[in-house]
Amino acid sequence: MAAHPVSPLAPKSYPDLPAVAGVRFATAEAGIKYKNRTDVLLMAFDEGTVAAGVLTRSKCSSAAVDWCRANLPGGLARGLVVNSGNANAFTGTKGKKSVEMTAEIAAKALGCSTSEIFLASTGVIGEPLDASKFAGVLDETATRMAETPWIEPAKAIMTTDTFPKLSGAVLEIDGVEVKINGIAKGSGMIAPDMATMLSFVVTDMPVAADVLQTLLARHNQTSFNAITVDSDTSTSDTLLAFATGKAALEPITSLDDPRAEIFGQALSDVLFELAIHVVRDGEGATKQVSVHVEGAVSDESAFRIAKAIADSPLVKTAIAGEDANWGRVVMAVGKAGEPADRDKLAIRFGDLVVARDGERAAGYDETATSAYMKGQELELTVSLGLGEGRATVYTCDLTHGYITINGDYRS
Amino acid sequence: MAAHPVSPLAPKSYPDLPAVAGVRFATAEAGIKYKNRTDVLLMAFDEGTVAAGVLTRSKCSSAAVDWCRANLPGGLARGLVVNSGNANAFTGTKGKKSVEMTAEIAAKALGCSTSEIFLASTGVIGEPLDASKFAGVLDETATRMAETPWIEPAKAIMTTDTFPKLSGAVLEIDGVEVKINGIAKGSGMIAPDMATMLSFVVTDMPVAADVLQTLLARHNQTSFNAITVDSDTSTSDTLLAFATGKAALEPITSLDDPRAEIFGQALSDVLFELAIHVVRDGEGATKQVSVHVEGAVSDESAFRIAKAIADSPLVKTAIAGEDANWGRVVMAVGKAGEPADRDKLAIRFGDLVVARDGERAAGYDETATSAYMKGQELELTVSLGLGEGRATVYTCDLTHGYITINGDYRS
């Protein structure tokens, strides 16, 4: 794979995430596909760690996704193995055997049951993954486990990503400091209505697995499920959360516990920041765009319209060209198939009203709008004037960079 | 608008379509947007001509589409006015008035009722269309009406098209020669499940309006509704058919008439050829791809899977890169949301089996496959192994050309 230039939307610096009690990790170079970079992450959790997860709804999910789906109901986790360079997807019975072998190697290295091992793989689809490569590597990796620095696992899981993605929150509950650390990868094959490519979140909060699962699924909806880079949904989308319970607090065992709301909000912030990082590292991205739809007949309808706009190649190329082409936004509203009344439509770029009552706004200011479109973070709002439904989808522009990256990915 | 290079998939020559009795036309330069090229087409039909049409299902349809939708139930046509350079879509009450004025000018020039005038506009969305520009132009154009050459109307309706699109059929029914001539335009904002951008078909076959409507809608399904360039659906999609009835035959008044089948097949051939021309002039296209899905649980399910593949930017960029990236095909099958069993999937490029039973095929030949991918016309077949459902969707690749064309279309 050719190296691609770092996204202009990359953060200027990366957060120095703190240790989370009960979580250790190390990375290694297994040489799966890339040279001279880490491509395997081994993470260990102390006994008593609970797990929750959201997985791709693709009908062609990867072997690792199938593995996680089978282990999640157990709710317990002791280890996580992630590799980049090969997705182990569409690899048939070979893929299933490869996953079983990897889990066995990891369970042995960490001294736990294979049902407590979670797996994720990302990279090219359709190539068999040789799990024997993990044999020596994971054993050796298990001897180097540390609590920091978190940028290392974020780097090991990258594929076409141009920057590592980290986010964390430290909150205080009943005077006790609680930490949430998250990492993510992904910059292509990203579409909402599923989870993201790969994201892992850990916390020391004592929280029951079912509560964690509910909070994760809820806040996934407005973070990873609300982003799209290219409308293509991965076979491998995996969002996993692990709670070690090491913070000195009584566990949250019910959503009615008022601390569930506080913890959930901090979790939501971490998920949202990671999701936005994914968009900002969208393949070829030069602009980040928030597409707001308001006044729809329902939130679901608003979401589908926002997604139609955010997925439209014509809208995305116009944004790349810094053209406030509201005609293409109208087109995307029209094709969404949701209730819309052309003559009630209003469209704003930032605070600038470009269209109102189904036609160009009387006070439309081409100069001001053109100046606004030169920004790196753009807000596009469509008001339908039909009801109270609203939703936001986050995306990036569509540039020559996307074509370049994806015209030569496999070779 | 910048001039873009002619599609490498353009035909080497254009058919010299014959005159169709009862149909005359002329084109003109109204200066709506373009300079030094025709941008208005006026077509006149003799009395007794019946009309049928398929229009966009966009919720934000253009003023001209609304006008045609109102006039189609009448079933009679005397005139057609098409302009390029401005779509008169999302132009509110101004757009409606503009359409009424255009119809009045045309009806006066041709000496008929406005309810017998059909209209279509294509070009930028959201800019008001000044219908007064048609006033002198249509009167003058009406004095120059001729029966040939058909390449002129095909040229006048082009926007980002890089070549004019024509197709015709001459068939013999009961010893009488019957003609069908068609033209089309479109190369972006093209997606199936609606009609195309703009296409007009004329015939001298005597056929009842309701029979023509049924045949048109039926064969639209496997032609214009089975193509996609960029998954974006136009506000202006319009397919109209006009039958002058001048051929010396008894009219077809029922679908049970055996001649309906013969005529319908010829009509289907013309629609299909025009639709393929649209794909081959897809913005930035360098390859034409037929995506076949077989073994689905139903034809509808097969169509949705074929469309998911044909709309996938990752599949389309891989094809542009001449990469037989079946992993991305699997991804697209997975995201379609239709019944699919990963472990029964087989994928072929041309006759080359690349995947079988949910993994890379044992006899996979990278060299032969790479050589195949260098062709300009590619066949991609997915076998699901679930049932008898099948469908084909026609598309093109996604290249830097698409980004270039659409990054600067409006400006």
Side-chain angles (χ1 to χ4, degrees):
Chain A
M1 187 181 55
H4 299 291
V6 174
S7 166
L9 306 176
K12 302 252 181 301
S13 65
Y14 301 103
D16 190 15
L17 298 184
V20 174
V23 181
R24 290 166 310 125
F25 53 78
T27 62
E29 297 183 20
I32 292 163
K33 178 186 168 84
Y34 311 121
K35 301 292 168 210
N36 303 318
R37 57 156 280 191
T38 58
D39 56 3
V40 178
L41 162 65
L42 177 65
M43 195 173 282
F45 309 109
D46 280 8
E47 227 169 314
T49 296
V50 301
V54 183
L55 302 163
T56 185
R57 279 181 260 170
S58 168
K59 302 280 181 181
C60 294
S61 53
S62 73
V65 165
D66 291 350
W67 177 268
C68 289
R69 191 169 281 132
N71 278 357
L72 272 173
L76 291 176
R78 293 297 306 283
L80 169 70
V81 181
V82 188
N83 76 274
S84 55
N86 186 316
N88 194 19
F90 203 62
T91 44
T93 50
K94 283 193 205 79
K96 193 157 177 283
K97 285 202 184 113
S98 167
V99 154
E100 286 164 1
M101 190 193 284
T102 309
E104 276 163 27
I105 296 165
K108 197 158 158 248
L110 298 178
C112 66
S113 148
T114 57
S115 68
E116 297 168 310
I117 298 288
F118 288 80
L119 302 172
S121 295
T122 177
V124 69
I125 299 171
E127 301 280 342
L129 173 63
D130 179 7
S132 68
K133 288 197 176 175
F134 294 129
V137 169
L138 290 185
D139 285 340
E140 186 277 329
T141 306
T143 66
R144 294 187 284 109
M145 306 295 273
E147 291 189 314
T148 56
W150 275 84
I151 199 162
E152 292 305 326
K155 280 181 174 170
I157 65 175
M158 288 164 64
T159 56
T160 55
D161 304 63
T162 72
F163 61 83
K165 298 164 187 70
L166 305 95
S167 175
V170 179
L171 63 160
E172 208 182 275
I173 294 184
D174 299 339
V176 175
E177 212 171 57
V178 173
K179 301 185 188 80
I180 305 176
N181 282 3
I183 59 173
K185 67 81 49 182
S187 63
M189 213 178 271
I190 304 286
D193 198 31
M194 313 275 166
T196 180
M197 280 292 284
L198 298 183
S199 179
F200 308 102
V201 177
V202 302
T203 178
D204 52 0
M205 182 73 204
V207 53
D210 60 338
V211 173
L212 186 61
Q213 179 66 41
T214 301
L215 293 174
L216 192 71
R218 177 186 299 166
H219 297 299
N220 176 59
Q221 282 304 114
T222 49
S223 56
F224 293 113
N225 269 11
I227 64 173
T228 180
V229 166
D230 54 8
S231 82
D232 274 343
T233 301
S234 166
T235 54
S236 311
D237 291 339
T238 300
L239 165 62
L240 296 173
F242 303 99
T244 63
K246 295 288 182 185
L249 288 164
E250 284 302 302
I252 301 175
T253 56
S254 158
L255 289 167
D256 297 332
D257 186 329
R259 299 173 305 161
E261 176 73 22
I262 299 165
F263 174 75
Q265 190 51 54
L267 177 66
S268 172
D269 290 347
V270 170
L271 295 177
F272 185 76
E273 189 177 6
L274 290 171
I276 294 297
H277 278 321
V278 172
V279 163
R280 292 176 71 88
D281 204 9
E283 286 169 342
T286 66
K287 293 173 191 290
Q288 180 204 323
V289 189
S290 302
V291 178
H292 310 285
V293 172
E294 57 191 30
V297 295
S298 69
D299 289 351
E300 294 70 28
S301 180
F303 182 83
R304 283 189 284 268
I305 292 169
K307 183 170 173 349
I309 297 167
D311 278 341
S312 161
L314 287 172
V315 170
K316 294 159 85 93
T317 48
I319 288 167
E322 305 190 331
D323 176 7
N325 194 321
W326 70 88
R328 294 185 184 177
V329 177
V330 173
M331 174 282 298
V333 172
K335 81 165 179 167
E338 291 295 315
D341 180 341
R342 181 186 62 201
D343 299 333
K344 286 183 179 167
L345 268 187
I347 299 171
R348 301 195 298 277
F349 283 92
D351 295 328
L352 301 161
V353 180
V354 297
R356 186 183 283 137
D357 300 332
E359 58 184 307
R360 189 164 65 189
Y364 174 68
D365 182 342
E366 176 91 24
T367 312
T369 309
S370 292
Y372 179 77
M373 297 303 291
K374 294 191 189 306
Q376 272 192 337
E377 277 108 38
L378 302 176
E379 307 277 330
L380 165 55
T381 305
V382 173
S383 298
L384 295 169
L386 298 179
E388 300 296 317
R390 58 172 60 235
T392 300
V393 170
Y394 306 89
T395 189
C396 54
D397 54 347
L398 174 58
T399 69
H400 285 291
Y402 185 88
I403 307 290
T404 300
I405 292 166
N406 288 300
D408 66 4
Y409 176 66
R410 205 184 58 139
S411 47
Chain B
M1 186 179 55
H4 299 291
V6 173
S7 167
L9 306 176
K12 302 253 181 302
S13 64
Y14 301 104
D16 191 14
L17 298 184
V20 174
V23 182
R24 289 165 310 125
F25 53 78
T27 62
E29 296 183 21
I32 293 164
K33 178 187 168 84
Y34 311 120
K35 303 289 168 212
N36 304 317
R37 57 155 280 190
T38 57
D39 56 2
V40 178
L41 162 65
L42 177 66
M43 195 174 281
F45 309 110
D46 281 7
E47 228 169 315
T49 296
V50 302
V54 183
L55 302 163
T56 184
R57 276 181 262 171
S58 168
K59 302 280 179 181
C60 295
S61 55
S62 73
V65 164
D66 292 350
W67 177 269
C68 289
R69 191 170 279 132
N71 278 357
L72 272 173
L76 292 175
R78 293 297 305 284
L80 169 71
V81 181
V82 188
N83 75 274
S84 55
N86 186 317
N88 195 18
F90 204 60
T91 45
T93 50
K94 282 192 206 80
K96 194 160 175 281
K97 283 202 185 110
S98 167
V99 155
E100 285 164 2
M101 189 193 283
T102 309
E104 276 162 27
I105 295 166
K108 197 158 157 248
L110 298 178
C112 66
S113 148
T114 56
S115 68
E116 296 168 311
I117 298 289
F118 288 80
L119 302 172
S121 295
T122 176
V124 68
I125 299 171
E127 301 279 343
L129 173 63
D130 179 8
S132 68
K133 287 196 176 175
F134 294 130
V137 168
L138 289 186
D139 285 341
E140 186 278 328
T141 306
T143 65
R144 294 186 282 107
M145 307 293 273
E147 291 189 314
T148 57
W150 274 84
I151 199 162
E152 292 305 327
K155 280 182 175 171
I157 65 175
M158 289 165 64
T159 57
T160 54
D161 304 63
T162 72
F163 62 83
K165 297 162 188 71
L166 306 94
S167 176
V170 179
L171 63 159
E172 207 180 276
I173 294 185
D174 298 339
V176 176
E177 214 172 57
V178 172
K179 301 184 189 82
I180 306 176
N181 282 3
I183 59 174
K185 67 84 47 183
S187 63
M189 214 177 270
I190 304 286
D193 199 30
M194 313 274 165
T196 181
M197 281 293 284
L198 298 184
S199 180
F200 308 102
V201 177
V202 302
T203 178
D204 52 0
M205 183 71 203
V207 52
D210 61 337
V211 173
L212 186 60
Q213 179 66 40
T214 301
L215 293 174
L216 191 71
R218 178 186 299 166
H219 298 299
N220 176 58
Q221 283 305 113
T222 49
S223 56
F224 292 113
N225 269 11
I227 64 172
T228 181
V229 166
D230 54 9
S231 81
D232 274 343
T233 301
S234 167
T235 54
S236 311
D237 291 339
T238 300
L239 165 61
L240 296 173
F242 303 99
T244 63
K246 295 289 181 184
L249 289 163
E250 284 302 301
I252 302 175
T253 55
S254 158
L255 289 167
D256 297 332
D257 186 330
R259 300 173 306 163
E261 177 73 21
I262 300 165
F263 174 74
Q265 192 50 55
L267 176 67
S268 172
D269 291 346
V270 170
L271 296 178
F272 185 77
E273 190 177 6
L274 290 171
I276 293 298
H277 278 322
V278 172
V279 163
R280 291 175 71 88
D281 203 9
E283 287 169 341
T286 66
K287 292 174 191 291
Q288 181 204 324
V289 189
S290 303
V291 179
H292 310 285
V293 172
E294 57 191 31
V297 295
S298 69
D299 290 351
E300 294 70 27
S301 180
F303 182 83
R304 282 188 285 267
I305 292 169
K307 182 170 173 353
I309 298 167
D311 278 340
S312 161
L314 287 171
V315 171
K316 294 159 84 92
T317 48
I319 288 167
E322 305 189 332
D323 176 8
N325 194 321
W326 70 88
R328 296 184 182 175
V329 177
V330 173
M331 175 279 300
V333 172
K335 80 166 179 168
E338 292 294 315
D341 180 341
R342 181 186 61 202
D343 298 333
K344 287 184 179 167
L345 268 187
I347 299 171
R348 300 196 297 278
F349 283 91
D351 295 329
L352 301 160
V353 180
V354 296
R356 185 184 285 136
D357 301 332
E359 59 184 306
R360 189 164 67 189
Y364 173 68
D365 182 342
E366 176 91 24
T367 311
T369 310
S370 293
Y372 178 77
M373 296 304 291
K374 294 192 189 305
Q376 273 191 336
E377 277 108 38
L378 302 175
E379 308 276 330
L380 166 55
T381 305
V382 173
S383 299
L384 295 169
L386 299 178
E388 300 296 317
R390 58 174 60 235
T392 300
V393 169
Y394 306 89
T395 190
C396 55
D397 54 347
L398 173 58
T399 69
H400 285 291
Y402 184 88
I403 307 290
T404 301
I405 292 166
N406 289 299
D408 66 4
Y409 174 64
R410 206 184 57 139
S411 48

